Amino acid sequence: MKHQAKVWVGVISAFSISNPLLIHGELIHRYSFNDEAGDATGATLTDSVGGANGTVLGAGALFTGTGLELPGGNSNSAAYGDLPNNLISPHAAVTIEGWVTIDAGGNNWGRIFDFGSTQNDGSGGEITGPGNTNGGGTAGLDYFILTASRGGNYDQQRIEVRNEDPAGGGNTTIDSAVTTTFGNKVPFAVTWEDTGPGTSRINYWRDGVKLNIDAAVTSNLADLNDVNNWLGRSTWLNDGNLDATYDEFRIYDEALTGAQIEASRTAGPDTIVDLSDDPDNDGIPTVYEDLYDFLDPNDPNDAGLDEDSDDLTNLEEFEAGTILDDDDSDDDGLKDGEEINTHSTNPLEADSDGDGANDGVEVTDTTSNPNIADTDGDGINDGPELKGGLLPRDATASSPTMIHRYTFDDPAGPAVAGATVVDLIGGANGTIVGSGGNWTGGALAIPGGAGATADAAYVNLPNGLLSPLDHTTFEVWYTLRSSQNWGRLWDFGSSEGGEITTTMTGATQGQDYYICSASLGTNLGSQRHTIKNLDALAPGGGTGPVDGNEEPFDFANANEFDQEYHVVGVWTSDLNGGGQLTVYRDGVNQGTRTTTFTPRDINDVNNWLGRSNWTGDNYLHGDYNEFRIYSGAMNDAAVTNSFAAGPDVGPGGAALEITDITYNKNDDTFTLTFSSLPGRFYYVFSSTDLVDFSNEVEDLPSGGLQTTSGPFANPAPGSSRIFFRVTEE
């Protein structure tokens, strides 16, 4: 048997189905590193196809006889491969293919390749040797990279395109998480192709598995200033050089298809596959037909057969990149032909729109569209809505359950250390820690200060408020009084050493956290909504990656001092280990990002308002008017409604207001009607001078959205005037 397992070969989209397959991508550069074993310092890296020879720069490189071994280490001295300038930018599409063995870790952000430029001082961004030879900065400006690690974690990788030379082009990041076994050879391929002016797309394979689909890039290949084209070194000069052995490195002038890449990977680094060899002219090259027993490279008729009865011919499956003898290549419950011909979904991706819901589920559940992540455009992706009991075609306001509410409406005066911060709904009362806090009568004012050394007031809420939840919404009304470095609106998680109960603890690093900061560092024009999972403890039972990689969403809004703002953070789970973060400012959706873990992964033992789990960050200097936690997700409409209602009104309610007063002169009684919220308790007071409201007339439970008090006897008989006040417990 030639075919004993699934062969994953390529990708399908509406574009690729309607266009003929490009059978032949031209190989334009090939580096095989098969020099005689020995010292490679200063050696030539021969391009056997294009003549664009490179050079080994730095110290410690060896030729093994079949590869180039780089030692890794500090970029000021360690060896790397320097290829000629402008290998990428003249083209409209390229494929970079190679075979590399990661020999060891220990070097942060080690690059498999990095083509681009570095901050310069008149040299155009080119670095001509180890260290910083151009006298400028050390940051990469333009680049097209594939890393062997994210930071020091070699089980995570990154592809990134940055277009900041000149500034303003932005960057696109594509992360993967594939276990690296040091000493094992890794085949890889990355395609980058223009799709229009200012747009392009990237696809990435590692060890025969496609790890992303058509990642959108907001620049073209021609925008890349590729003057530092390196193997094993980063255009960010402070990153470490890679400790690895290169067996083969190739560049093609086309974006190869999945089938072509699989054929080349199968042939190995020492063989160039002739992808145009098709003796029976059936559209399927010999190298591919040889993978399957039921295909014959000399029989053109087998191209029109349907081996797996999925309503696609063998030729159509080859062109689509689906598996010829598996009717459901992505195991989503839909046949490959049904996905392509009926639903226009991707037969190689179980969740075509990346919304957390399987294509088969979305097709079966006709309330959502498998090609639109957020069918109703309400700010919550379809997957979390389906799993949270919401309707993904209904954009009307969602109704999450408010489970904690802190209104900070204690009488004006000092908010001393140890004072209680009352939870009006859930009973999860918090505590003031530190000094300098004050109740204003309608808010809590905290003073700010240096995080590591100041005894500054903040709010410590009980442990475990976040981790039991699958979907949650945090909502806050706040006012800033001064700029504080990374001042936190909220920070729920843990720090080095776990739980912290005092101020002046020195600078420790946050381990787990869900945060929203009022500023990006000291930049008041930007804010951060982010999560991180570095603490292995997961009291909520989460199973997400404990990798320490922050998953931020930064957003930009002006922060004026002494002005109140409204921020809502929503974190939903797809119930498959991942989720979605969305943030709102003053009722406006600022944006969304996906997450690799959920609230249940957070070890929430430091649940703070106004303080950071990175305890060297400053305390917030400002006022809290109200803070709420919900079980469930607010959508766009719900946030808009809550912002309009303001901090004194719960969802679905109206401001507390006396709407009618009736006096019956026959029996000298009054009847009051006022707006209310279900499940609350109210007190009615009277006064004759608008100062002393100590006279309680009646206490009563809510009558719903409207409550009536009375009739009750005139509390001030004979008085020429009387005033009433209603308060909510």
Side-chain angles (χ1 to χ4, degrees), residues 328-561:
D328 182 7
S329 295
D330 57 6
D331 297 322
D332 64 357
L334 301 175
K335 287 187 175 183
D336 295 339
E338 182 184 1
E339 293 213 58
I340 292 172
N341 299 321
T342 303
H343 306 298
S344 298
T345 49
N346 187 341
L348 288 174
E349 180 62 47
D351 179 9
S352 293
D353 54 10
D355 63 0
N358 180 289
D359 289 344
V361 171
E362 294 207 69
V363 167
T364 302
D365 183 342
T366 57
T367 62
S368 60
N369 187 322
N371 293 302
I372 301 175
D374 181 7
T375 299
D376 54 16
D378 67 353
I380 306 175
N381 281 354
D382 295 343
E385 289 205 83
L386 286 168
K387 291 161 184 172
L390 301 176
L391 297 176
R393 285 192 182 274
D394 182 3
T396 57
S398 59
S399 300
T401 301
M402 191 192 301
I403 55 176
H404 305 290
R405 185 183 186 192
Y406 305 89
T407 57
F408 312 107
D409 54 4
D410 294 56
V416 299
T420 298
V421 180
V422 176
D423 175 3
L424 294 177
I425 293 179
N429 296 339
T431 305
I432 301 293
V433 181
S435 62
N438 281 285
W439 305 110
T440 69
L444 170 65
I446 55 177
T453 58
D455 182 32
Y458 67 96
V459 177
N460 180 36
L461 299 179
N463 298 0
L465 297 187
L466 173 64
S467 56
L469 304 174
D470 289 311
H471 317 295
T472 190
T473 301
F474 282 24
E475 182 175 30
V476 66
W477 283 263
Y478 71 96
T479 301
L480 289 184
R481 300 302 182 188
S482 74
S483 175
Q484 299 289 322
N485 187 43
W486 289 110
R488 297 294 203 269
L489 299 177
W490 68 76
D491 192 328
F492 281 38
S494 63
S495 189
E496 288 176 322
E499 186 171 7
I500 294 174
T501 58
T502 64
T503 58
M504 299 185 292
T505 55
T508 61
Q509 295 186 4
Q511 302 296 290
D512 277 12
Y513 47 77
Y514 170 40
I515 74 169
C516 190
S517 66
S519 61
L520 205 62
T522 57
N523 179 3
L524 288 173
S526 295
Q527 299 79 40
R528 174 163 290 180
H529 185 226
T530 187
I531 57 174
K532 178 181 173 181
N533 185 22
L534 185 57
D535 190 331
L537 295 175
T543 58
V546 184
D547 53 24
N549 288 313
E550 190 161 334
E551 299 183 8
F553 183 85
D554 294 341
F555 56 108
N557 289 278
N559 266 320
E560 301 292 337
F561 298 140

Side-chain angles (χ1 to χ4, degrees), residues 38 173 249 412 596 606 665:
T173 298
F249 188 80
T596 63
N606 298 327
K665 65 180 180 180

Side-chain angles (χ1 to χ4, degrees), residues 86-131:
N86 305 317
L87 293 184
I88 301 295
S89 55
H91 303 284
V94 294
T95 298
I96 295 182
E97 180 186 36
W99 285 258
V100 64
T101 300
I102 312 301
D103 295 322
N107 299 297
N108 286 348
W109 293 106
R111 300 295 204 269
I112 294 175
F113 65 79
D114 191 330
F115 287 16
S117 64
T118 301
Q119 283 178 309
N120 66 82
D121 186 21
S123 64
E126 184 172 8
I127 303 291
T128 57

Side-chain angles (χ1 to χ4, degrees), residues 45-61:
L45 300 176
T46 302
D47 175 4
S48 60
V49 173
N53 296 339
T55 306
V56 178
L57 300 179

